[in-house]
Amino acid sequence: MENELALLNNYLVVGAMLFGIGVIGFVSRRNMIIIFLAAEMMLQGVSLSLVAWARYHNDFGGQMFVVFIITVAACEAALALALILMLFRASGSLDIALWQHLREANQPAYVDEEIPELEVKSPTWPRLVPAGRQPELDRSDTEHRPSV
Amino acid sequence: MPTIVSIVLGALGMWLLLPRPSLRGRLAGAALAAAAAGLLAGQLPGLAAALDQALFSILAAVTVASAAAAVSLKNPVYCAIWFAMTVLGTAGLFLLQGAQFLAVATIVVYAGAIVVTFLFVLMLAEPGARAAYDRLSWEAMLSAVGGAMLIGVLSTVVGGLLAGGPAGAAAARGEAELAAGVLQDGHVAALGRAMFTDYWIAVQAGGLLLLAALVGAAAIVSGGRSPAAPEADPRPPEDQPPAEEH
């Protein structure tokens, strides 16, 4: 059926996009919590394509795979958050670059060239409502027109 | 039955929209009327497919856009919020594919995961992107180009395979067969039957994996200390008097 084929293609493209965005976040971000979220996002992309295949082949196997992906994601969350907690205790920061001495032996160290400035917003003050007695207006002031 | 519901909803919405002495509830009326129009349009044979397509487009756009926001925003709190939006969009796409159990399970499991992630962000991260590592990334351009190429290769290869290759047995399958298979009414019952007959070994392995992850997480957080060998206590024992007491 042409329609089912188009549906499968759409879902696979969306799954690939989720996976690719997850890969970009996983390799480029430096906050360990965001790296964890990006890994979960890759799992979501794979789950989406598996569900699409399950519908296309009219078989529950793909959906069963997703059930086990959710199980593995739960295990991964438990282990990853425990590891993040331990690494934070050891270094006092969520920066993954503090652990770059685990890289390969002959790789040069990564040094930040420039740290972008933190843009500080000017504080917004509360607007004060007018209070007290309303001043009396001179009627001749308000009704007088200097020129006609 | 959906036709009657949509007509009743539409009448209620129009009543709320019409000018009356009290103008309250006009927004709710507009929402009700729009929902009724959508429900009625879903009944029409020609429009149902287009509506499905539109629903898919909206859900896919929301999912992908919130995924991009989740990995690219500086403040980790916003990243967690946008990741929750991604999970909701994925659950909607699951529901659109007829995987109702998976949609609900995804929301339930990831709700817990996201709440715990929030807790971690609040405990550990520096708020408002104040940390330098939130404002920097490794090789941003290189990773963006690599990820985009990955997406491009995956989608063109998949599109080419589907367009050129034999569509397989699924090509000849009709709606009736789908309605008796993955899209049947007793979806959850059929999924459970498949899970506990064809895949019961995998279910056992999954349970074992969860137990191992639990034990592993506890072992990691306790830092490898065992109760038999407690750490050396820096304080002197209490039953001995201190040495320099005069």
Side-chain angles (χ1 to χ4, degrees):
Chain A
M1 237 167 88
E2 199 57 40
N3 189 16
E4 290 289 317
L5 203 62
L7 197 64
L8 173 67
N9 197 357
N10 287 347
Y11 272 80
L12 290 184
V13 168
V14 174
M17 286 176 82
L18 273 185
F19 187 85
I21 291 172
V23 167
I24 293 175
F26 190 82
V27 300
S28 68
R29 292 306 298 261
R30 288 181 40 180
N31 190 328
M32 283 191 275
I33 292 177
I34 299 177
I35 291 175
F36 162 70
L37 287 183
E40 297 274 329
M41 197 176 291
M42 286 194 272
L43 290 179
Q44 299 263 319
V46 176
S47 305
L48 204 55
S49 47
L50 280 173
V51 168
W53 282 112
R55 171 164 182 171
Y56 183 69
H57 285 296
N58 196 14
D59 186 89
F60 278 112
Q63 298 196 8
M64 292 306 306
F65 252 114
V66 178
V67 171
F68 293 115
I69 284 181
I70 291 176
T71 309
V72 172
C75 296
E76 180 225 338
L79 287 176
L81 292 176
L83 280 173
I84 287 174
L85 196 60
M86 286 313 292
L87 294 177
F88 185 84
R89 269 192 212 160
S91 69
S93 162
L94 285 174
D95 191 1
I96 200 76
L98 293 178
W99 301 95
Q100 61 172 328
H101 58 266
L102 297 174
R103 68 187 181 278
E104 279 188 49
N106 48 5
Q107 290 292 312
Y110 187 87
V111 186
D112 295 328
E113 292 96 8
E114 50 172 333
I115 297 172
E117 288 288 318
L118 179 64
E119 61 262 31
V120 181
K121 282 184 212 148
S122 60
T124 51
W125 302 108
R127 284 166 54 108
L128 299 179
V129 291
R133 188 176 58 85
Q134 181 148 14
E136 282 174 15
L137 295 178
D138 196 357
R139 283 182 74 89
S140 63
D141 271 351
T142 57
E143 288 174 1
H144 170 69
R145 284 192 266 176
S147 62
V148 177
Chain B
M1 186 59 196
T3 316
I4 299 172
V5 170
S6 66
I7 286 174
V8 170
L9 279 185
L12 201 62
M14 286 309 291
W15 172 65
L16 284 175
L17 269 178
L18 286 175
R20 283 169 298 128
S22 75
L23 281 178
R24 305 179 59 184
R26 302 198 63 172
L27 207 62
L32 272 182
L39 209 58
L40 200 59
Q43 300 299 307
L44 302 179
L47 271 180
L51 213 63
D52 266 2
Q53 190 66 40
L55 204 56
F56 167 76
S57 306
I58 292 171
L59 278 175
V62 165
T63 308
V64 172
S66 54
V71 299
S72 62
L73 285 180
K74 287 182 206 160
N75 196 336
V77 177
Y78 293 145
C79 291
I81 291 174
W82 281 109
F83 179 71
M85 196 67 218
T86 311
V87 170
L88 284 183
T90 316
L93 287 173
F94 282 172
L95 206 57
L96 212 56
Q97 284 286 55
Q100 301 139 9
F101 173 75
L102 287 180
V104 177
T106 305
I107 290 180
V108 168
V109 171
Y110 280 94
I114 288 167
V115 166
V116 173
T117 310
F118 246 92
L119 198 67
F120 270 71
V121 167
L122 293 182
M123 274 197 312
L124 307 181
E126 301 184 40
R130 217 176 296 148
Y133 56 83
D134 277 332
R135 285 175 277 133
L136 285 172
S137 34
W138 309 102
E139 304 290 349
M141 187 196 287
L142 213 59
S143 64
V145 169
M149 279 173 65
L150 178 70
I151 296 173
V153 166
L154 280 178
S155 48
T156 52
V157 163
V158 160
L161 278 184
L162 291 184
R173 189 171 294 131
E175 292 277 348
E177 205 173 333
L178 265 182
V182 175
L183 296 186
Q184 62 183 281
D185 282 341
H187 166 80
V188 179
L191 189 68
R193 208 175 299 123
M195 186 189 286
F196 290 112
T197 54
D198 297 342
Y199 299 94
W200 67 272
I201 297 181
V203 171
Q204 303 289 329
L208 196 65
L209 182 68
L210 279 172
L211 181 66
L214 193 65
V215 173
I220 289 171
V221 171
S222 69
R225 290 191 299 270
S226 64
E231 279 185 10
D233 201 352
R235 291 170 302 166
E238 285 171 8
D239 50 0
Q240 293 176 4
E244 53 279 331
E245 189 180 40
H246 294 291

